Amino acid sequence: MLSQFVVSLRAKVFEKVNGDNAITFPNEQVGADRFEELYSHPAANGRSRGAGLSDLFWYWLSPGPEVHQEHLEAGPRYDDVARATRVFLAGSSEELSAAATRCTAKVLDEVITKPVTHVRLRDLMMPVWAEFFYELVFGEPCPRFARGLIVEHANDVVTSLKCTGLRHPARRARLTRYLAHRLPDVRHPLPETLSAVEQVHYLQGTYFNTAVVQMSEAMSHLLLALAQHPHVAQRVDDDRYFAHVLDETFRLYPLFGIAHRITTADIELDEHTRFPAGSVLCFNYPAYHATGYANPHEFDPSRWEHTAARDEHHIPFGIAANRPCPAWRLSPIIMRAATREVLRRVTLHSSVTHTRSLPSRGPCFLVRDGSVPRLGWMRVRDRGEDVGRSVVQLVLGTVMVLHAHRLRLAGRYFDTHDTHGCPVRH
């Protein structure tokens, strides 16, 4: 399919934009059996400085990519920011579940007004997580105006990331101005090593960009998988089985395609395998998650009944030794609560192609009267949209890669700052 070709081509572009020093794993040199060993190596800890790929991600994640937790270099600023994030994301399972249920119910009350409602799952879930993370940050219900700003911003980020639309800095700036005004109202202390402007960008990038986008993507994959495997949806009230469903969803549809790290010192795995300092290591999550399993491209939660994710090629939240996702505990709790609230109200039906990148945003029927909608037209429409969208992705992806390369956001920043974000004095 053309869309699969586009995804493959984009991965190649990500690799090549770095130049000749980018290496993608697993490969013949470092296979799946040593993937995590290399990923967790202490010298594989550079994040932005020295990689052409960083310019591209900084372009997509602006404003404030220099204080985005995932793109800060190791050191005091990263430690300070990571510590603050852990405080914001903490909470009892009961409190977090209740908040996720409440926010999901509020949005569903607005959206489901007919016996059968057609939605794009990512569009359905974005306001849910905008509400949730606003409450997490400010400790109060989210005003409709603020929710609109958050969704507008998050949607602009993920649309440009998937190359289905250009980025619009003016849309993002509206949320920046709002957060600057609300900075005194944040419920937990913000990172002390950041200036007031950087604290605003920290809030915007961490909670109203990454958190909203990633949770919306994760829920879109989960709900779409349940829509296309109704026998699985019938069992999600079983906590143990739901954990298997989550493991399988994250395995087959990892939220990251390629994660890159820059070596800060030479890495020597053995006498034949050495990577000099400054090498750009690209870790291919989908390729790694497809190794070591029978029928790896099938959605099969039952594969986890006789094994544990920790014993398999399965790192949806990264690796503890190398900046793991700070939401590794939070995500399963709130995804379970949101999923059960959705399935308490409706059954899910969809016939669209389910890919990891999901540029379609997950078309789906929400049915509350027990009927079974006709899915033939949805399938045909999806195939038609797929062709046109793939062409758009090729064109806009090329435009943005070239624009990011010209702007050199990361490169220019590190021309004047050290790895800890301090200005370099010449």
Side-chain angles (χ1 to χ4, degrees), residues 31-334:
D33 60 323
R34 305 192 73 181
F35 184 93
E36 294 188 36
E37 178 186 356
L38 179 60
Y39 200 134
S40 60
H41 195 283
N45 67 337
R47 191 55 189 96
S48 291
R49 186 171 188 169
L53 190 55
S54 301
D55 288 324
L56 187 55
F57 279 105
W58 281 40
Y59 177 87
W60 280 329
L61 295 174
S62 294
E66 68 278 3
V67 295
H68 193 288
Q69 183 168 330
E70 175 60 11
H71 292 271
L72 280 169
E73 302 300 318
R77 274 163 69 94
Y78 173 78
D79 295 339
D80 186 31
V81 167
R83 188 163 45 246
T85 303
R86 287 193 296 271
V87 172
F88 275 98
L89 299 185
S92 71
S93 297
E94 293 76 16
E95 291 172 335
L96 295 170
S97 294
T101 300
R102 181 174 62 252
C103 294
T104 304
K106 180 178 179 180
V107 173
L108 293 179
D109 284 341
E110 298 171 5
V111 173
I112 303 175
T113 58
K114 298 178 293 185
V116 179
T117 304
H118 179 266
V119 299
R120 306 272 176 164
L121 291 170
R122 195 181 83 200
D123 298 343
L124 174 71
M125 297 312 301
M126 271 202 173
V128 170
W129 302 120
E131 294 264 353
F132 179 87
F133 286 103
Y134 182 95
E135 288 192 14
L136 210 63
V137 169
F138 293 108
E140 63 185 29
C142 182
R144 190 62 178 266
F145 172 72
R147 189 176 87 180
L149 292 178
I150 295 167
V151 170
E152 180 183 51
H153 163 71
N155 187 61
D156 192 68
V157 171
V158 71
T159 298
S160 63
L161 273 166
K162 294 182 185 296
C163 301
T164 54
L166 297 173
R167 68 171 193 157
H168 299 85
R171 295 178 187 173
R172 305 179 185 196
R174 286 194 279 269
L175 178 59
T176 308
R177 290 192 293 270
Y178 175 81
L179 293 175
H181 174 70
R182 294 298 312 278
L183 199 60
D185 304 320
V186 175
R187 63 196 296 242
H188 295 300
L190 292 167
E192 296 179 354
T193 56
L194 304 184
S195 68
V197 171
E198 290 172 331
Q199 289 176 344
V200 170
H201 288 157
Y202 161 75
L203 290 175
Q204 185 164 353
T206 303
Y207 306 102
F208 304 123
N209 171 358
T210 298
V212 172
V213 167
Q214 296 289 55
M215 287 302 304
S216 300
E217 286 283 297
M219 283 298 299
S220 298
H221 284 301
L222 175 58
L223 295 178
L224 189 56
L226 296 177
Q228 298 183 341
H229 300 84
H231 65 287
V232 174
Q234 293 171 1
R235 297 180 59 188
V236 297
D237 284 337
D238 180 332
D239 284 353
R240 185 171 182 274
Y241 185 73
F242 186 82
H244 297 334
V245 174
L246 271 187
D247 284 339
E248 183 66 353
T249 302
F250 284 137
R251 182 197 69 82
L252 192 55
Y253 309 109
L255 297 180
F256 291 100
I258 297 285
H260 74 284
R261 298 288 184 267
I262 303 98
T263 58
T264 55
D266 293 352
I267 293 179
E268 188 169 336
L269 296 184
D270 56 48
E271 59 182 0
H272 305 294
T273 310
R274 179 179 177 277
F275 304 100
S279 298
V280 180
L281 312 179
C282 293
F283 297 95
N284 188 322
Y285 276 71
Y288 179 60
H289 281 188
T291 60
Y293 301 94
N295 304 314
H297 301 297
E298 293 182 8
F299 181 81
D300 180 15
S302 67
R303 72 173 79 244
W304 300 104
E305 292 176 0
H306 306 292
T307 188
R310 65 179 176 274
D311 299 324
E312 305 295 340
H313 296 165
H314 189 267
I315 53 169
F317 298 105
I319 295 176
N322 193 342
R323 51 173 91 221
C325 173
W328 65 269
R329 172 183 171 269
L330 172 82
S331 297
I333 294 170
I334 61 179

